[in-house]
Amino acid sequence: LEVLQRTFPDNDTIMIVLGDYYYKKASQNDKVSKQKALQESIINYGEALKINPNRFDLWQKLMYMHYDAKHWERLRSVAEAATRNFPLKPESYYFGSVACNQLEKYKRASELVDIGLSLIIDDPVLESDLLGQRGEAFFGMGMPEQAMVYYLEAIDLKAPTAAYLSFNLCMNMYQRRFKLEEALLLLEASEGFEQLHGVEDDSFYLLKADLLFNLERYDEAFFILNKIDVEETNMIIEVLTRKGDVCAKLMQHEKALHYWRQARQLGGEARKLIEKIETGRYVE
């Protein structure tokens, strides 16, 4: 690799080979080594693009990598550059809209979605994803009614990502306390989300429990929380805290304290959790 890099510093093919090598290496290492390898991969792909910016597959690789790493400002910059180099490729507008929504640049996100949608030809997956990002932008701009329209339009396309989009819509509705009854019905209708990636996704059950809790259906919320069986400590803390909250609402104060203290012993450091234990009551 060092010989290749020294001998062909201005060859885009060699830079791509190096990028591919480090990307593959990243999947075979621990977290620290993975991040280092990914960074090397990004650097080499970037160098290849400087030499030959006419490779759209490279722009896509770079955008995917920044997306996976949640490098939102870098993703925005690369996506905007890709739209200038390949103005007729709708994928770049999608990645740009994702980055802008994450950076709370909602107006720009909506503009990128509009351009991307105008360029799509027979691609329901990308079309639904872009509509979902338009919904995200309108949620961000404080227009939940309009946001819901676009999200439902995306879901109605019945693309493979429909269940995931439905989950995102319900999460937005829960976070804004907007039409919670409808959010619960939508979530229950998105059957299969928890198997979307081949494994159960406990975030589905956690959101359902949160919706039931806010609708004051405490027994049902506790039942759903009991379905969550995980080993990851942070998720266990979240579940135990919520179980305590439900018990407090049911006036089962000793049980509530028991669950809150368990969450605290596992490392829960949230200010509200500590306040609940100190006061012995539920805190909003």
Side-chain angles (χ1 to χ4, degrees):
L1 291 176
E2 289 176 3
V3 171
L4 283 172
Q5 215 159 4
R6 285 198 307 271
T7 310
F8 304 102
D10 299 322
N11 186 298
D12 62 306
T13 302
I14 297 302
M15 293 298 110
I16 293 169
V17 169
L18 291 168
D20 290 344
Y21 168 79
Y22 283 113
Y23 184 72
K24 183 69 175 176
K25 189 176 179 181
S27 67
Q28 302 170 341
N29 284 291
D30 56 54
K31 189 173 181 180
V32 175
S33 300
K34 178 179 180 179
Q35 291 303 317
K36 188 176 179 182
L38 282 175
Q39 190 57 36
E40 285 290 334
S41 184
I42 288 170
I43 290 169
N44 281 287
Y45 286 145
E47 289 299 316
L49 278 176
K50 287 179 185 176
I51 299 164
N52 182 5
N54 298 316
R55 290 279 304 269
F56 184 69
D57 61 321
L58 262 185
W59 286 103
Q60 278 187 302
K61 281 184 179 182
L62 211 50
M63 288 187 288
Y64 270 116
M65 293 183 76
H66 288 313
Y67 175 87
D68 287 341
K70 295 181 170 57
H71 295 155
W72 304 125
E73 186 54 55
R74 293 184 202 172
L75 176 59
R76 185 200 62 77
S77 178
V78 171
E80 294 274 12
T83 62
R84 291 191 293 272
N85 282 274
F86 295 90
L88 301 181
K89 294 285 189 180
E91 295 86 353
S92 306
Y93 298 96
Y94 166 70
F95 281 112
S97 67
V98 171
C100 286
N101 274 326
Q102 292 294 327
L103 294 167
E104 300 183 6
K105 300 177 185 292
Y106 303 120
K107 185 178 178 182
R108 180 55 180 160
S110 188
E111 290 171 352
L112 289 168
V113 168
D114 288 342
I115 300 169
L117 285 172
S118 71
L119 298 171
I120 287 178
I121 300 173
D122 194 26
D123 190 343
V125 174
L126 185 55
E127 184 178 355
S128 65
D129 285 343
L130 277 163
L131 285 168
Q133 289 306 311
R134 180 184 270 169
E136 283 289 320
F138 275 86
F139 269 125
M141 289 186 284
M143 303 166 68
E145 288 280 1
Q146 195 63 40
M148 192 172 174
V149 169
Y150 292 126
Y151 253 116
L152 290 176
E153 190 178 340
I155 294 163
D156 283 344
L157 289 173
K158 302 189 187 304
T161 52
Y164 180 75
L165 288 167
S166 184
F167 177 82
N168 279 354
L169 169 59
C170 296
M171 178 63 78
N172 272 298
M173 293 168 75
Y174 164 71
Q175 289 172 341
R176 292 162 177 81
R177 303 298 187 267
F178 175 71
K179 295 186 177 181
L180 296 184
E181 289 279 5
E182 286 189 43
L184 181 61
L185 291 172
L186 283 166
L187 189 67
E188 290 175 336
S190 64
E191 292 179 16
F193 171 81
E194 60 272 31
Q195 283 86 35
L196 198 59
H197 303 291
V199 296
E200 285 201 350
D201 193 322
D202 294 297
S203 58
F204 174 90
Y205 294 115
L206 207 61
L207 177 56
K208 187 172 182 179
D210 285 340
L211 286 166
L212 289 165
F213 181 86
N214 276 269
L215 292 167
E216 299 183 5
R217 292 161 61 174
Y218 303 121
D219 289 323
E220 293 174 72
F222 197 82
F223 175 78
I224 295 298
L225 289 168
N226 276 332
K227 293 181 71 171
I228 301 175
D229 182 19
V230 292
E231 296 181 2
E232 202 262 313
T233 303
N234 288 336
M235 179 63 84
I236 295 172
I237 291 169
E238 293 290 336
V239 172
L240 288 170
T241 301
R242 285 165 169 76
K243 283 186 175 181
D245 295 346
V246 170
C247 289
K249 288 291 186 179
L250 293 171
M251 307 303 287
Q252 300 169 355
H253 300 298
E254 288 300 321
K255 286 180 71 175
L257 276 170
H258 169 72
Y259 287 121
W260 289 334
R261 284 169 178 159
Q262 276 191 317
R264 183 79 174 112
Q265 286 168 3
L266 285 173
E269 296 179 347
R271 180 185 58 79
K272 287 184 180 179
L273 173 61
I274 296 168
E275 189 176 345
K276 289 170 187 176
I277 295 169
E278 290 175 347
T279 62
R281 60 183 177 80
Y282 173 73
V283 179
E284 288 285 353

